Amino acid sequence: MSYDGKIMRRALQRYEEDKQRREQMYQQRRDQLYSRIPRLGEIEKELSGTMSQIIASALQRGTDPLPAIRVIRDENLQLQRERAELLVSYGYEADYLDEQPNCPLCRDSGYRGNDVCRCLQEYYAREQIAELSQLLHMGEETFDTFSFDWYTTDRGSRSRSPREVAERNFDTCSDYARHFSERSGNLLLFGPPGLGKTFLSTCIARVVSESGHSVVYDTASHLFGQFETAKFHRDNEEESEEDVQRYLRCDLLIIDDLGTEMLTSFVQSTLYQILNTRLRSRKKTIINTNLKLDEISQRYGAQVRSRIEGEFDLLPFIGEDIRVQKKNKK
C-alpha cells in the first residue's frame, strides 16, 4: 500500500492537532485537581525532585551511588502510593493523573517501526475521503443507493438488456471496490453519457479510500493540464510535479471523461506514459469514457488501445441517458 504525500501531510497535521488538544486537556485536568487538592501539586514537585536526586547520585564520582539511590527510590514509591490513595479518597481512579496514550500500539507516534500505525491510517482515510468529497461532491453515490430502475429490461435486438448489463457492471465494480488489492485489475467503463459510469467509479473511490489505499480521481482535461504545466511552466512546476507523481504512484487512479480534453500529440504521449508507468509498477487504473474502443484507437493510437484491451476489464454501458429520463419525469 502506498500513501499520497499530499494527503498524508494533512493527516499528520490533524493527528498532531488532536494530540496537542489531548495534551492540553490533560494539563487542564491536572491543574484543576491541583487547585482542588493542593497536596497533589506538592507531591508532583517532590517526585520531580527525587528524579533529579537519582540522576545526581548516579553521576557522583568516588562513591557507591546504589545505597542513596535505593533510599530515593523508596521515597519516590511512597510518594506515588500517597498520590494514589489521595486520588481514591476524593473519588478518582488511582491512575487518574497518569497520561495514557490514545493509541497503545504506537504510543501516539503514528508509526510502528517503519510502518504507519493503524491510528494514523484512520486519519489518512478520513482526509482522503474529504479530498474526494470536495472534488466529486460525493453525496448519495454509494453502492447501496445505486438504482436499476433507470435501465430497461427490453433487449430489443441486443443479446442482453440494459438492465442485465447494468447488473453485471454493478457486480463487477462492487466486487472490485470491496476486494481491492495489489492483485486487482484495471477497468474501462465506456458508453454514452448519463448511464452511471461516474456514479459507479465514485462508489469505487469511496470504498477503496475507506480501506486506506491512496486514490486519485480527476478529469482527463485537468490531469493532462497538470502534466503540461509540470513540463512547460516553471512558475507552477513544484505543485504540478507533485500532482504528476500522485497520478503515477497512487494505488488507484480514476480518470474521468477521457476524450473530452483537447487532443494534442502531448496528450497522446502522456496517456501512454501514464498507462505504461502504472502497469509496470502494478498500480491500478480506472478509465471512464464516452468513446468506443475504435474511437480510442483513432484518438490515442494503437499502443494505447493495445494496453487497454490487454490489461483492462471492459465494461460497456448501454441504455438511455438517466439524466434525461429524470428531467422528463419531472
Side-chain angles (χ1 to χ4, degrees), residues 8-284:
M8 181 57 82
R9 284 196 297 273
R10 295 180 189 172
L12 282 168
Q13 181 180 349
R14 300 288 183 273
Y15 189 87
E16 288 301 321
E17 288 172 353
D18 285 350
K19 183 177 178 180
Q20 292 176 13
R21 192 176 298 113
R22 289 193 300 272
E23 291 173 352
Q24 290 172 357
M25 291 176 63
Y26 169 77
Q27 184 65 45
Q28 291 173 0
R29 182 177 64 189
R30 189 175 64 175
D31 291 345
Q32 289 172 355
L33 270 180
Y34 289 174
S35 176
R36 182 186 178 191
I37 315 172
R39 177 55 185 158
L40 286 174
E42 296 171 1
I43 292 174
E44 186 65 32
K45 290 180 181 179
E46 293 177 29
L47 284 171
S48 298
T50 59
M51 290 304 300
S52 299
Q53 293 175 44
I54 290 174
I55 293 172
S57 297
L59 295 176
Q60 189 174 359
R61 296 181 179 180
T63 60
D64 183 2
L66 290 180
I69 289 176
R70 291 192 185 100
V71 171
I72 298 169
R73 180 201 62 193
D74 291 342
E75 292 177 0
N76 188 292
L77 292 173
Q78 177 57 38
L79 287 169
Q80 291 182 47
R81 284 192 292 270
E82 181 184 354
R83 180 178 62 183
E85 292 170 358
L86 193 56
L87 284 168
V88 171
S89 70
Y90 275 84
Y92 298 99
E93 296 291 336
D95 60 354
Y96 185 74
L97 281 176
D98 295 344
E99 189 173 9
Q100 300 295 334
N102 191 55
C103 177
L105 297 177
C106 69
R107 303 193 67 80
D108 295 346
S109 70
Y111 293 88
R112 301 181 67 186
N114 294 324
D115 297 326
V116 176
C117 185
R118 183 176 59 199
C119 61
L120 182 53
Q121 288 177 355
E122 292 174 357
Y123 278 78
Y124 179 88
R126 287 198 295 270
E127 287 303 312
Q128 187 158 242
I129 289 292
E131 170 85 1
L132 291 170
S133 296
Q134 183 178 7
L135 175 65
L136 300 172
H137 308 292
M138 288 194 299
E140 298 181 356
E141 293 90 346
T142 69
F143 288 113
D144 291 335
T145 60
F146 186 87
S147 174
F148 296 102
D149 294 341
W150 304 104
Y151 303 90
T152 179
T153 58
D154 183 11
R155 291 186 178 182
S157 60
R158 296 172 290 223
S159 60
R160 290 188 296 173
S161 70
R163 173 75 65 88
E164 291 171 317
V165 172
E167 289 172 346
R168 181 256 185 181
N169 291 340
F170 176 88
D171 290 342
T172 299
C173 291
S174 178
D175 289 344
Y176 184 92
R178 294 189 170 95
H179 303 291
F180 183 84
S181 70
E182 292 182 355
R183 295 185 296 276
S184 299
N186 308 285
L187 301 178
L188 176 73
L189 283 60
F190 67 102
L195 294 179
K197 299 186 296 296
T198 296
F199 190 108
L200 285 177
S201 59
T202 300
C203 294
I204 293 173
R206 185 196 297 270
V207 174
V208 174
S209 293
E210 289 172 346
S211 69
H213 292 89
S214 56
V215 180
V216 176
Y217 194 124
D218 210 346
T219 62
S221 58
H222 186 261
L223 178 150
F224 292 129
Q226 291 300 94
F227 271 85
E228 185 175 2
T229 299
K231 185 174 180 63
F232 299 114
H233 302 283
R234 297 194 176 277
D235 52 336
N236 295 321
E237 183 178 12
E238 184 174 344
E239 181 178 350
S240 297
E241 179 59 33
E242 181 180 30
D243 282 336
V244 164
Q245 293 306 314
R246 294 177 69 216
Y247 295 135
L248 297 177
R249 296 176 179 175
C250 63
D251 295 324
L252 176 62
L253 172 65
I254 302 178
I255 305 175
D256 199 20
D257 282 338
L258 182 70
T260 59
E261 76 287 341
M262 182 179 295
L263 183 62
T264 64
S265 58
F266 178 81
V267 165
Q268 292 172 321
S269 63
T270 299
L271 179 57
Y272 179 77
Q273 174 195 349
I274 293 170
L275 296 180
N276 209 40
T277 300
R278 291 186 60 79
L279 286 170
R280 284 206 313 266
S281 58
R282 304 180 68 83
K283 300 298 184 181
K284 311 308 170 186

